[in-house]
């Protein structure tokens, strides 16, 4: 198949493109571009059967000003999604696969610790995350509502591995190693992780035989911060993370940081494994962190 990858040089794109080529697909890629005309022309020239939307513009993460830090990415998830869908409709793409969020901060914070695709996204996100969640909702509604194509949203977990901040020399790894990533409150927030290589494998499966809908692309081992953070520190040869109360955590990481440490929910990958025939090679962050 002819596959157009928007965001071909990002953390997922660099893992995805060679896998698609190895599987025998003809791949066309573009890097980040917020111009409607540029997107329309690129897609029209490629005439793809499948579009994969992996466009993001995530820089340094500022938890205290989360929406401001994510503003360029939010634009790509709203305007960029609309541009790509318009371009795809013009050339009659049969499948449209887009990047969503499922690992931390997206699902509602009530009920059980692990959510499935049928569970709602957070209906009342923290103030500094409202615009980001609104952009995610826009992307999902637009992609799933495009009845002229097979719309698929992959809700990825928290990325780790090459090209991410959870990799050797990466920002988050270094903060943990240097004991500058404290454990807030009881650390009850549940995170779901995914190695970027496993995320790419799931994306190939979605490209080749995915059906309309949402899929959580996470590993088999959702875990509370109080469990994975100290384990990561040990893996990196660092000391046990400092534990601070919620009010102090709010001072340096804002409300978003406290929510991510204490309230977020993880995600189940049962649907993706069943319907996409996919299995993460890094089944748990426990071994995955060490390998990374």
């Amino acid at each position: 198949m002819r596959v157009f990858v928007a965001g071909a040089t990002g953390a997922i794109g660099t893992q995805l493109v060679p896998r698609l080529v190895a599987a025998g697909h003809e791949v066309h890629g573009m890097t980040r571009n917020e111009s409607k005309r540029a997107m329309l022309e690129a897609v029209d020239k490629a005439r793809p059967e499948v579009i994969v939307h992996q466009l993001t513009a995530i820089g340094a993460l500022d938890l205290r000003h989360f929406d401001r830090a994510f503003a360029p990415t939010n634009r790509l998830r709203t305007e960029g999604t609309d541009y790509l869908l318009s371009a795809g409709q013009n050339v009659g793409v049969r499948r449209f696969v887009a990047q969503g969020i499922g690992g931390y901060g997206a699902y509602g914070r009530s009920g059980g610790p692990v959510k499935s695709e049928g569970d709602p996204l957070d209906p009342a996100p923290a103030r500094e995350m409202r615009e980001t969640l609104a952009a995610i909702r826009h992307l999902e509604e637009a992609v799933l509502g495009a009845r002229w194509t097979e719309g698929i949203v992959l809700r990825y977990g928290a990325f780790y591995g090459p090209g991410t901040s959870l990799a050797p020399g990466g920002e988050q790894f270094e903060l943990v190693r240097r004991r500058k990533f404290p454990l807030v409150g009881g650390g009850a927030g549940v995170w779901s992780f995914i190695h970027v290589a496993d995320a790419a494998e799931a994306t190939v499966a979605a490209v080749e035989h995915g059906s309309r809908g949402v899929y959580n692309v996470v590993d088999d081992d959702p875990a509370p911060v109080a469990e994975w953070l100290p384990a990561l520190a040990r893996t990196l040869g660092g000391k046990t993370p400092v534990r601070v109360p919620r009010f102090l955590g709010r001072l340096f990481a804002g409300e978003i940081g406290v929510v991510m440490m204490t309230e977020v929910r993880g995600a189940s990958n049962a649907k993706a494994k069943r319907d996409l025939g996919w299995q993460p090679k890094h089944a748990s962050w426990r071994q995955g962190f060490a390998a990374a």
Side-chain angles (χ1 to χ4, degrees), residues 9-292:
T9 59
I12 288 290
T14 53
Q15 296 278 336
L16 175 62
V17 169
R19 285 172 167 81
L20 288 170
V21 172
H25 301 293
E26 178 185 322
V27 182
H28 300 257
M30 69 175 290
T31 56
R32 184 172 72 241
N33 195 314
E34 298 175 10
S35 163
K36 179 179 181 179
R37 180 176 178 179
M39 290 186 183
L40 290 171
E41 290 178 349
V43 172
D44 184 67
K45 182 178 180 180
R47 311 298 292 185
E49 298 164 83
V50 180
I51 289 177
V52 182
H53 177 8
Q54 297 285 352
L55 291 171
T56 60
I58 302 171
L61 185 59
D62 181 357
L63 292 177
R64 292 184 61 83
H65 304 95
F66 194 89
D67 278 337
R68 186 170 69 189
F70 269 77
T73 293
N74 292 341
R75 187 179 178 193
L76 290 168
R77 287 173 173 161
T78 52
E79 295 177 27
T81 299
D82 292 345
Y83 296 163
L84 284 171
L85 283 169
S86 177
Q89 187 171 19
N90 286 344
V91 299
V93 298
R94 55 186 285 195
R95 191 167 288 133
F96 191 102
V97 182
Q99 178 185 141
I101 295 177
Y104 58 98
Y107 281 110
R109 291 169 279 154
S110 60
V114 179
K115 303 296 185 178
S116 69
E117 292 83 353
D119 289 307
L121 298 178
D122 194 342
R127 181 171 58 85
E128 283 298 329
M129 199 176 184
R130 290 174 186 168
E131 293 177 10
T132 299
L133 260 293
I136 289 295
R137 290 182 190 280
H138 177 96
L139 179 148
E140 293 199 355
E141 291 170 2
V143 172
L144 299 177
R147 308 311 299 181
W148 47 268
T149 189
E150 200 90 54
I152 297 170
V153 175
L154 302 180
R155 290 178 179 167
Y156 297 116
F159 291 137
Y160 70 94
T164 76
S165 63
L166 284 169
E171 179 185 8
Q172 291 189 59
F173 260 26
E174 285 303 298
L175 289 173
V176 173
R177 186 181 64 81
R178 294 157 57 192
R179 215 185 186 198
K180 293 185 177 182
F181 197 120
L183 180 61
V184 178
V190 178
W191 288 41
S192 283
F193 291 95
I194 189 68
H195 192 286
V196 286
D198 288 325
E201 292 285 354
T203 307
V204 172
V207 165
E208 294 182 337
H209 53 261
S211 298
R212 180 188 308 278
V214 177
Y215 300 85
N216 289 331
V217 178
V218 297
D219 71 15
D220 299 340
D221 193 10
V225 178
E227 185 174 345
W228 69 257
L229 183 55
L232 175 56
R234 290 193 298 271
T235 298
L236 297 176
K239 297 181 179 179
T240 301
V242 175
R243 186 183 292 269
V244 301
R246 288 177 66 111
F247 80 88
L248 190 56
R250 190 173 288 107
L251 289 177
F252 69 82
E255 185 61 25
I256 295 295
V258 173
V259 165
M260 288 188 175
M261 282 279 186
T262 63
E263 299 180 19
V264 297
R265 301 301 199 259
S268 165
N269 63 11
K271 179 182 178 183
K273 290 166 72 173
R274 180 187 68 242
D275 294 357
L276 296 180
W278 165 79
Q279 182 75 39
K281 293 181 179 178
H282 304 82
S284 171
W285 52 269
R286 300 171 199 273
Q287 295 79 39
F289 284 169

